Amino acid sequence: MLNPKLGLSALLLEVGAWSGPLLQQHSDEALAAYLLLHAVASVLLTLFLLPLLPRERAQPRAPLIVLIVACCYAVPIAGFLGVLAAALSLHYLGRTRSADEYESVQLPEFDLHQHRQGNFRHAGLRSFLGNSEAPIQARMRAMVALQYVSGRTASPLLRSVLSDPSEDLRLLAYGMLDSLEKRINQAIDQELSALQADGSASGAAVDDAARLESLRRLSDLYWELVYQELVQGDLREHAIRESLRHCEAVLHAQPENAPLHMRRGRLLHALRRPQEAQESYEAASRLGLPATRVLPYQAQLCFERGDYAQARALVHALGPWDALPRLRPVIEYWNAP
């Protein structure tokens, strides 16, 4: 709390120091008397001003008192006035606003699935793994770090190392690819065993919901082998056909399942059956699947069969959709005049 007596005492002592023996005598005793009165006045003024300072700015207290006293004592008169002006300014102008005085702003919603990925990172990692001049240990550490990224990203990078001159890198890449493939194959074996066990249990009819769920998971797992590029050649075609077979089995019971129609279209597309793939894409779109998920594949089909005008029209329809950062360069290319 502000104490006016301290301020008045400081003022009287300072005035007495200047109007006392110092102006009448020029001895050492007069100077010592002035310095003593001036020091006491500086301390009293500091104690008077402390309550004016904002609480958050008056910490730590002891060093702050020493600083104010030193300013008052080192610069007579001007120091007093300057410290007083600074304290009043902080008291009336330097107050921090309370949290209630700020308006609350709602954070925007971000779509994490459409987050723009740094493709240059993958390209840089591919170049680093293929650089035979880089230290082997550093390249091996980079390969080990691939176990923390998605198989879709890691598999092509690991496959590119299979022709590396270093035998250690080739063995590590082969082992990591084999591990990814085995993990999915084990899940497939478990689902097949569960499906067969349900079908032969006591000769009873299989629970339709459980059977359809098993078939859907099998289609997903076979598709993962293809999507992550873990199988090549005949094995890839076998995985596509198995995924398609289980997908169609589920669609036979659930013809309104839009995502599965989309899956069927992509599988037929991979098998080079464009007409059937187009029908599945149209069914997925008709059943409510977002256009951003269907139009790119329809445009690809049109491009592959040479219908460039229709491909341009489909890509142009994607133009208003801003949430497609990966396709933005393709859209800009096709929409260029």
Side-chain angles (χ1 to χ4, degrees), residues 276-312:
E276 297 174 80
Q278 177 66 22
E279 294 173 0
S280 292
Y281 290 150
E282 291 176 354
S285 180
R286 185 173 60 254
L287 291 172
L289 208 65
T292 52
R293 293 186 56 185
V294 183
L295 290 181
Y297 297 103
Q298 290 180 314
Q300 184 180 356
L301 273 179
C302 293
F303 180 82
E304 290 174 356
R305 64 171 177 252
D307 189 356
Y308 303 121
Q310 182 63 19
R312 179 185 293 274

Side-chain angles (χ1 to χ4, degrees), residues 175-225:
M176 293 179 68
L177 283 171
D178 188 59
S179 176
L180 290 173
E181 184 179 354
K182 282 183 176 178
R183 191 182 309 162
I184 297 179
N185 283 330
Q186 287 175 358
I188 290 175
D189 291 339
Q190 292 175 0
E191 287 295 335
L192 288 173
S193 300
L195 187 62
Q196 293 173 0
D198 290 340
S200 60
S202 302
V206 185
D207 179 39
D208 286 341
R211 177 176 175 274
L212 291 176
E213 182 63 20
S214 294
L215 292 173
R216 186 194 61 79
R217 283 198 296 264
L218 282 169
S219 179
D220 291 344
L221 291 169
Y222 278 113
W223 172 247
E224 279 300 312
L225 289 174

Side-chain angles (χ1 to χ4, degrees), residues 32-320:
Y34 163 75
L35 294 176
L36 178 61
L37 292 175
H38 180 58
V40 175
S42 299
V43 173
L44 293 176
L45 181 65
T46 300
L47 297 176
F48 169 71
L49 295 177
L50 277 179
L52 291 176
L53 299 177
R55 182 173 301 176
E56 63 274 7
R57 297 177 183 269
Q59 302 295 334
R61 201 169 187 82
L64 181 65
I65 293 175
V66 173
L67 177 63
I68 298 176
V69 170
C71 291
C72 295
Y73 186 77
V75 186
I77 300 179
F80 266 59
L81 297 177
V83 167
L84 181 61
L88 292 174
S89 299
L90 289 174
H91 180 70
Y92 291 107
L93 303 178
R95 292 181 299 173
T96 57
R97 301 177 65 181
S98 64
D100 296 337
E101 297 180 38
Y102 292 95
E103 297 180 358
S104 63
V105 179
Q106 186 176 3
L107 292 175
E109 295 183 1
F110 294 97
D111 186 357
L112 299 179
H113 298 285
Q114 293 293 343
H115 177 66
R116 185 185 295 271
Q117 300 292 330
N119 294 329
F120 67 91
R121 297 180 182 176
H122 299 161
L125 186 55
R126 183 186 296 273
S127 301
F128 179 74
L129 291 176
N131 183 10
S132 59
E133 302 297 328
I136 297 295
Q137 295 299 325
R139 295 167 69 193
M140 292 184 71
R141 285 196 296 269
M143 289 180 59
V144 172
L146 289 176
Q147 63 182 316
Y148 300 108
V149 301
S150 65
R152 174 68 172 176
T153 300
S155 180
L157 295 174
L158 293 172
R159 200 169 294 279
S160 67
V161 184
L162 293 178
S163 59
D164 193 88
S166 172
E167 183 177 1
D168 292 339
L169 288 177
R170 293 199 307 270
L171 290 174
L172 179 59
Y174 178 80
M176 293 179 68
L177 283 171
D178 188 59
S179 176
L180 290 173
E181 184 179 354
K182 282 183 176 178
R183 191 182 309 162
I184 297 179
N185 283 330
Q186 287 175 358
I188 290 175
D189 291 339
Q190 292 175 0
E191 287 295 335
L192 288 173
S193 300
L195 187 62
Q196 293 173 0
D198 290 340
S200 60
S202 302
V206 185
D207 179 39
D208 286 341
R211 177 176 175 274
L212 291 176
E213 182 63 20
S214 294
L215 292 173
R216 186 194 61 79
R217 283 198 296 264
L218 282 169
S219 179
D220 291 344
L221 291 169
Y222 278 113
W223 172 247
E224 279 300 312
L225 289 174
V226 179
Y227 182 76
Q228 296 186 21
E229 299 183 15
L230 296 174
V231 287
Q232 303 290 326
D234 293 339
L235 288 177
R236 179 178 183 273
E237 187 166 347
H238 170 73
I240 292 174
R241 293 186 182 280
E242 287 298 301
S243 180
L244 178 61
R245 182 167 66 88
H246 294 102
C247 178
E248 289 179 336
V250 179
L251 280 175
H252 183 72
Q254 299 176 354
E256 303 299 317
N257 194 320
L260 283 183
H261 277 287
M262 185 67 192
R263 167 75 56 77
R264 180 175 182 271
R266 295 191 64 180
L267 292 168
L268 292 169
H269 195 166
L271 289 174
R272 296 173 294 280
R273 293 158 62 179
Q275 186 59 39
E276 297 174 80
Q278 177 66 22
E279 294 173 0
S280 292
Y281 290 150
E282 291 176 354
S285 180
R286 185 173 60 254
L287 291 172
L289 208 65
T292 52
R293 293 186 56 185
V294 183
L295 290 181
Y297 297 103
Q298 290 180 314
Q300 184 180 356
L301 273 179
C302 293
F303 180 82
E304 290 174 356
R305 64 171 177 252
D307 189 356
Y308 303 121
Q310 182 63 19
R312 179 185 293 274
L314 291 173
V315 174
H316 182 73
L318 290 171

